[in-house]
Every structure is written in C-alpha cells, then in structure tokens.
Amino acid sequence: MTPQEALQKTLAGEHAAVYLYGVIGGRVSSSSAAELWQRVRDAYTLHRGRRDQLMAMVRATEAEPVEAEVSYELPNAAGTPAQLQRAALSVEQRCAAVYADMVGSTSGANRQWALDALEDSAVRLLGFGGEPEPFPGIGEL
Amino acid sequence: MPTPSRAPHGARLSRRAALATVAALAGGALVGCTPDRKQRRREGEPAPVEPKVDPDVAVAAEALANQERMIDLLTATGERHGRLVELLAPVVATHEAHAGLLSDAVPDEESPATSLSSSSDGESSAGAATSPSPAPDSSEDRRTAVAGDPARALAQVVAAEQELTTATKRHAFRAQSGAFARILGSMAAGAAQHADVLASAQVGKGASS
C-alpha cells in the first residue's frame, strides 16, 4: 500500500466513522444515557475533524480525496443502549485497525499523525466498554 | 460499505507473517558483506562507515529494554503491595507479550543489557532518556523504590506507562520497516490503554502485603 493509498483508506474509514457516529448519536438518549451520549458526541466531533485533516493531507499529495458513500451499515441493530455502545465500540475498533495500517504504510509527519490517532482510538474504545489488549488495532496478534 | 477494518488484500499481516517480520529483523541484524561492499573493497575504495546492526534491530533492542524495565517495576510493585497484583496482572501479561515479540527481533549480542549502554547515537540516547526509569539492581532495591502508599505506587506505574507510550511511539516513528512500525505503534497504544485503566482505578490505603 502506498502512502497515498494509506491516506485514502484512512479517509474512507473516517467517512464511515463520521456517518455511523452521527447515526448512533441520534439514537442515544441525552437524558437517560447521558454519559454514552457525551462519549459518542465527542467521538463524532473528533472523527469529523480527522476526516477534514485527512482530506487536506490527501490533497497535499495532489490527489483527489475519496468521497463518502451514501450510507454505511451499522454493526448491529443499534436499538438499545447496550447495542448502541457495542456499535460505537465496533466503529472505534475498526478505526484503530485503519490507523495501525496507516502507521505501517507512511512515514514522517503522516506516520506521527497515525500513531497519535491509534493511541487515542485505543483509549477511546475503553469508554465504549472495550478491554485493554496487548496489540490494539492488530487483530492477527 | 467500506468499513475501516476492511483493508485491501495483502495490506495486513497474518500472525505468522507479523512474527516473521520481527524475526526477520534478527535475521538481517548484522550488516554483512553485501555485493556492493565487496565490489568497493576490490576496487580499493575506502569503505563507508556503516552501522554494525540493522537500525531496526537497535530500535527493537531499546524497545525491549524499556519493556523489561516496565515488567521489573510491575513485579516490584506487586511484591510490595500484594493487593495490587490482581490489578496489575493483565498489565504484566501485555508487557510480557510485547517483550516476547521484541526478543525474537534482538540477537543475543544486541540484548538490552549491552545495547543501551553501548549506544552512542543521539536518537538512542534520547529514547533511553524518555523510557521508564531504570530499575535498581536487586530485587530488594526494586521493592524499596516502590512508594509505600499503594495509591502513590500505582501513580508511579501510571507515569511509567505514559512514559513507555511516548518512548514506544518514538521507536515506531524511527522504525524503517513499516510492518515493524505498525507493531510498535500498537504496543504504544496498548500501554496507553493500561495507563488509562490504572489511572482510574481506586486503591485504598493498607494494600501492602
């Protein structure tokens, strides 16, 4: 995977994350599940910012950023608070895997960006019920 | 949908391939007489100054030393505060997994005990300077270096995990092999997870064994 392909792949992931966090956030009650609502809202804001950063990073390579798809499939039914939390966890785990791949396919400032994103994602998913694991973002280890 | 986890074929490593990546560092550790180098020598040109080991092996040796210091600190903390052993057990398991993987990448002659002390380049020194504090030599010394108050001892561990996260990210940044950088980046993220969990753990007084 070339560095430019890695950026595009990560951007595609961010498009999905922004969409899915938006849907999940719309289904979480801000009153009965206030903590989850806040965590989802924070994640949505963060990933939207990362999406915009990545679009600029792709353009810096003189490529056209990949566009978002019309819609994305939720990881589960996302009806109950427990399902919504698991859906958010799934989104963040997928993001961690994408960031780990980006670390391996980039260098310099782009690799540093991916390292910071991977660390943040690994910690953020704990807030959605995830457990620490030896190799976050690397499923095969 | 193009979920973030669906990488193009071949972009991600199988477990065996990931382990092979690390083992390959050890296999290529010593810079031998490459054809180009032999050619230069035949032609009487002065040989350029080359590092004795693959740069990524040096990175692995430093990272391994940091992991072993972290395990020493966790062990000493558990010895001094028995009630923390259960809390720290998954942390120890993570760092043992990291150390196990890294040790496969480091040939014996580049073991942490020798590589850091003999390191002379600036980056290595900087990496060592940001790593968790060196553990005292003896088991008793290590134990007495742990704070007597369990909450403070836990705070020491959290600080060390945070330092290890930073140091491992620096190693990932320096790694020349992308596959190795990916593994190191993941290790850093794993340390960050434990720092976060331990920072929010509630520990009462009187946890000493």
Side-chain angles (χ1 to χ4, degrees):
Chain A
M1 185 159 48
T2 67
Q4 187 181 83
E5 288 170 344
L7 289 172
Q8 294 280 32
K9 181 189 162 198
T10 310
L11 174 57
E14 292 293 6
H15 281 314
V18 169
Y19 176 94
L20 292 169
Y21 273 123
V23 173
I24 293 167
R27 298 185 184 186
V28 176
S29 168
S30 61
S31 56
S32 62
E35 186 176 339
L36 177 60
W37 182 83
Q38 188 62 54
R39 288 183 191 278
V40 171
R41 183 181 176 185
D42 289 347
Y44 173 80
T45 302
L46 183 95
H47 284 283
R48 193 174 57 182
R50 287 213 184 115
R51 176 201 62 189
D52 295 344
Q53 287 178 342
L54 280 160
M55 290 176 77
M57 291 157 72
V58 170
R59 287 198 180 98
T61 69
E62 300 185 352
E64 192 61 29
V66 293
E67 294 183 359
E69 298 197 3
V70 175
S71 66
Y72 297 86
E73 186 179 349
L74 283 160
N76 59 32
T80 67
Q83 288 172 336
L84 288 161
Q85 177 170 294
R86 282 198 298 274
L89 173 60
S90 177
V91 171
E92 206 58 49
Q93 286 171 329
R94 293 175 184 181
C95 286
V98 171
Y99 299 142
D101 287 349
M102 182 174 162
V103 168
S105 300
T106 54
S107 60
N110 287 344
R111 179 181 286 181
Q112 187 62 55
W113 187 97
L115 286 166
D116 292 340
L118 174 57
E119 178 190 352
D120 176 86
S121 191
V123 173
R124 188 172 301 279
L125 64 84
L126 300 176
F128 294 126
E131 295 288 333
E133 51 188 327
F135 297 97
I138 302 185
E140 70 270 21
L141 284 177
Chain B
M1 93 183 181
T3 57
S5 64
R6 290 178 191 164
H9 179 71
R12 305 180 74 185
L13 299 170
S14 66
R15 176 178 173 80
R16 180 174 294 179
L19 295 172
T21 295
V22 173
L25 296 177
L30 299 177
V31 177
C33 288
T34 62
D36 181 54
R37 206 174 171 192
K38 287 178 180 175
Q39 182 70 26
R40 270 199 299 271
R41 287 188 179 176
R42 277 198 297 270
E43 293 170 356
E45 293 179 16
V49 177
E50 294 184 41
K52 288 183 179 177
V53 297
D54 184 301
D56 277 358
V57 172
V59 169
E62 291 177 25
L64 176 58
N66 290 347
Q67 293 293 335
E68 292 182 343
R69 274 196 290 269
M70 192 70 226
I71 292 169
D72 284 347
L73 174 61
L74 291 164
T75 302
T77 304
E79 287 172 354
R80 179 128 197 212
H81 302 289
R83 288 189 207 172
L84 294 180
V85 169
E86 188 176 350
L87 178 66
L88 297 178
V91 189
V92 173
T94 286
H95 292 298
E96 285 179 343
H98 293 176
L101 198 59
L102 288 166
S103 64
D104 289 340
V106 181
D108 290 343
E109 62 268 31
E110 286 298 312
S111 65
T114 57
S115 66
L116 286 179
S117 59
S118 63
S119 177
S120 59
D121 69 275
E123 278 192 303
S124 298
S125 299
T130 57
S131 62
S133 302
D137 289 339
S138 74
S139 173
E140 185 58 29
D141 287 346
R142 283 196 301 271
R143 196 175 172 194
T144 54
V146 174
D149 175 63
R152 287 190 59 203
L154 196 56
Q156 286 178 326
V157 172
V158 170
E161 289 286 356
Q162 291 167 338
E163 289 177 13
L164 181 59
T165 299
T166 301
T168 309
K169 284 171 69 179
R170 286 183 180 163
H171 287 140
F173 184 84
R174 283 170 51 197
Q176 295 186 357
S177 158
F180 187 42
R182 179 171 174 257
I183 291 170
L184 288 168
S186 176
M187 288 180 180
Q193 285 184 325
H194 285 301
D196 185 78
V197 169
L198 294 178
S200 60
Q202 299 293 319
V203 179
K205 288 187 178 292
S208 300
S209 58

